[in-house]
């Protein structure tokens, strides 16, 4: 049984969830899509690769593990497949890197009324639960993910005339899924919140305003929706929120510190802890952590985008800097994001990933003994 952490992260060493798919699995995705292998054989490869990646995490010293999101083509793609009513349309934003290169991506669009046609992540959890010795964690995209990327054109008007009516159905779907996960024994659920992180970026806020939406109203709406989606869960289920600025093949969507949303989000979100990106200057400084009063923070100090290993001395120094605004006992450490939000993964090797994961555990031991 996972003990209630009472205002601090449940583990000093955590990671965001997605891990690099091994070459065998990347090829299996291509072969399955091209119908060169059937679903049964594809499932066998998935199961074997998940067993291996769970063993990799446990060997690194993690007391919490995920399935690497190996059953997902992207961190939210499976939810489109399993929620009746969603289709894919182009997103209103672009990924970019530090060299100015841009990449288009896609977003959800509600072409009809939404319903949970089958479990979203329950099967992922059941398999992970049965093969892991460590605590199994399940990740879910935050409800805002299904709205923000096309925030002024997110649904057919015949299906949903307002964002509130759209979210009412989505909230019901999340409650159903969380209840099923809890019934199966899941006690640690992480939601990946991109929209609120992007609404810290002045350029994205300006783009949202140009499209006819109000950024601050969206911040309030997304916080309210998140809390409603989590309401009714058993009290022993621990929720963490990962704030993400986008992660696709080493590219990102936005930049900017948390200050513009921190007071509202950190105070009002009814979760146990936040997993925050702090690997580059784009994330801003630690001052927004002063608004985290009764919750924990996992500092995402280690980059999953580049192979260069951070030094433990630097990680310890940065944790001490953060502790000027929040008690060190309410902190933990992780990579800033996952290693593979899609099957393609970030531009690092599995050897790099293994070294980064080991660094998380070693740094946690050094900082918190």
């Amino acid at each position: 049984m996972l003990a209630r952490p009472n205002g601090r992260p449940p583990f000093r060493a955590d990671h965001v969830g997605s891990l690099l798919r091994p070459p065998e699995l990347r090829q299996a995705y291509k072969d399955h899509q091209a119908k060169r292998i059937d679903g049964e054989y594809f499932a066998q490869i998935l199961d074997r690769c998940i067993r291996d990646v769970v063993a990799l995490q446990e060997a690194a010293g993690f007391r919490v593990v995920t399935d690497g999101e190996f059953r997902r083509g992207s961190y939210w793609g499976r939810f489109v497949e399993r929620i009746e009513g969603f289709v894919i349309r182009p997103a209103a934003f672009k990924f970019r890197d530090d060299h100015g290169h841009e990449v288009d991506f896609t977003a959800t669009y509600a072409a009809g009324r939404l319903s949970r046609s089958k479990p979203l992540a329950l099967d992922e959890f059941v398999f992970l639960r049965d093969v892991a010795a460590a605590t199994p964690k399940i990740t879910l995209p935050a409800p805002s993910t299904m709205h923000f990327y096309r925030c002024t054109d997110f649904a057919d008007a015949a299906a949903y005339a307002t964002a509130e009516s759209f979210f009412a159905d989505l909230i019901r779907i999340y409650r159903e899924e969380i209840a099923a996960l809890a019934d199966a024994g899941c006690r640690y659920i992480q939601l990946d919140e991109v929209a609120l992180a992007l609404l810290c970026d002045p350029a994205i806020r300006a783009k949202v305003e140009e499209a006819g939406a109000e950024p601050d109203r969206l911040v309030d709406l997304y916080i309210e929706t998140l809390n409603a989606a989590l309401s009714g869960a058993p009290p022993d289920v621990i929720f963490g929120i990962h704030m993400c600025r986008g992660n696709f093949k080493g590219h990102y969507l936005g930049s900017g510190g948390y200050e513009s949303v921190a007071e509202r989000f950190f105070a009002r979100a009814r979760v146990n802890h936040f997993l925050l990106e702090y690997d580059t200057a784009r994330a801003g400084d630690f001052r927004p952590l002063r608004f985290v009063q009764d919750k924990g923070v996992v500092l995402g100090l280690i980059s999953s985008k580049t192979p260069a290993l951070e030094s433990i001395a630097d990680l310890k120094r940065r944790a001490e800097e953060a502790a000027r605004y929040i008690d060190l006992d309410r902190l933990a450490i992780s990579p800033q994001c996952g290693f593979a939000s899609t099957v393609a993964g970030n531009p690092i090797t599995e050897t790099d990933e293994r070294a980064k994961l080991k660094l998380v555990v070693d740094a946690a031991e050094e900082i918190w003994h």
Side-chain angles (χ1 to χ4, degrees):
M1 179 67 70
L2 181 59
R4 191 75 189 168
N6 295 322
R8 66 175 177 80
F11 303 97
R12 295 297 188 191
D14 206 337
H15 73 87
V16 169
S18 67
L19 297 166
L20 293 173
R21 279 66 160 178
E24 177 190 15
L25 184 54
R26 292 199 302 272
Q27 185 60 48
Y29 265 97
K30 295 176 184 177
D31 290 343
H32 184 245
Q33 187 173 22
K35 301 188 184 309
R36 290 189 291 266
I37 61 174
D38 62 23
E40 182 178 357
Y41 186 57
F42 182 47
Q44 291 173 4
I45 296 172
L46 277 167
D47 290 351
R48 182 170 65 252
C49 290
I50 290 170
R51 287 190 181 93
D52 290 345
V53 84
V54 168
L56 181 153
Q57 295 165 77
E58 292 177 343
F62 280 91
R63 294 171 53 214
V64 57
V65 297
T66 71
D67 68 352
E69 299 181 2
F70 279 10
R71 299 189 194 278
R72 307 179 190 181
S74 72
Y75 83 100
W76 57 262
R78 203 170 193 249
F79 296 76
V80 178
E81 299 164 7
R82 291 172 173 242
I83 296 178
E84 193 73 32
F86 273 140
V87 297
I88 298 297
R89 297 273 178 93
F93 308 100
K94 294 178 184 290
F95 279 94
R96 61 185 188 271
D97 64 14
D98 292 333
H99 306 291
H101 181 251
E102 293 188 333
V103 179
D104 292 324
F105 73 113
T106 55
T108 57
Y109 179 84
R113 301 287 296 193
L114 303 180
S115 64
R116 178 173 168 265
S117 58
K118 59 178 70 171
L120 308 178
L122 179 61
D123 58 323
E124 294 175 325
F125 173 75
V126 169
F127 185 85
L128 178 62
R129 177 198 67 195
D130 292 346
V131 300
T135 297
K137 176 171 77 169
I138 279 293
T139 62
L140 303 173
S144 60
T145 304
M146 309 302 173
H147 177 268
F148 180 69
Y149 297 143
R150 293 179 59 94
C151 59
T152 57
D153 182 23
F154 57 89
D156 188 295
Y160 297 105
T162 65
E164 287 76 9
S165 61
F166 166 82
F167 278 123
D169 279 351
L170 198 57
I171 287 165
R172 174 180 45 77
I173 290 168
Y174 271 78
R175 287 176 177 172
E176 290 172 358
E177 183 66 19
I178 290 168
L181 286 166
D183 286 346
C186 185
R187 290 300 178 267
Y188 186 8
I189 298 174
Q190 173 191 303
L191 290 100
D192 296 321
E193 176 59 75
V194 180
L196 288 170
L198 296 185
L199 286 166
C200 298
D201 186 328
I204 288 182
R205 289 175 69 91
K207 189 174 181 67
V208 168
E209 288 175 343
E210 289 170 10
E214 300 177 32
D216 285 328
R217 172 60 191 131
L218 289 179
V219 169
D220 291 335
L221 175 63
Y222 294 157
I223 295 171
E224 293 164 6
T225 299
L226 174 69
N227 286 338
L230 305 186
S231 66
D236 59 343
V237 175
I238 295 169
F239 290 103
I241 296 288
H242 167 55
M243 290 189 75
C244 176
R245 293 177 177 83
N247 180 21
F248 178 62
K249 296 183 178 179
H251 292 62
Y252 57 90
L253 284 167
S255 60
Y258 301 106
E259 191 73 24
S260 64
V261 304
E263 187 168 9
R264 282 176 288 173
F265 186 49
F266 293 159
R268 288 163 49 191
R270 293 197 284 271
V271 299
N272 178 75
H273 60 281
F274 304 96
L275 299 96
L276 303 179
E277 293 192 352
Y278 269 117
D279 62 319
T280 69
R282 285 195 310 274
D285 60 28
F286 293 120
R287 292 185 71 251
L289 300 184
R290 71 192 187 278
F291 293 116
V292 183
Q293 297 298 321
D294 58 352
K295 304 175 180 75
V297 171
V298 181
L299 299 171
L301 301 176
I302 295 167
S303 176
S304 66
K305 293 187 175 80
T306 64
L309 276 179
E310 296 80 356
S311 77
I312 288 183
D314 284 346
L315 296 173
K316 186 174 182 179
R317 175 184 55 79
R318 296 206 68 204
E320 290 168 349
E321 289 174 5
R324 293 168 54 195
Y325 302 99
I326 178 173
D327 193 283
L328 186 67
D329 187 54
R330 292 198 285 129
L331 295 174
I333 192 169
S334 74
Q336 102 290 349
C337 196
F339 291 87
S341 297
T342 68
V343 171
N346 288 348
I348 64 172
T349 68
E350 289 183 57
T351 300
D352 297 329
E353 176 187 72
R354 191 176 292 108
K356 293 272 184 171
L357 292 173
K358 184 67 166 59
L359 177 60
V360 174
V361 175
D362 290 346
E365 176 63 26
E366 177 68 24
I367 296 167
W368 290 277
H369 309 292

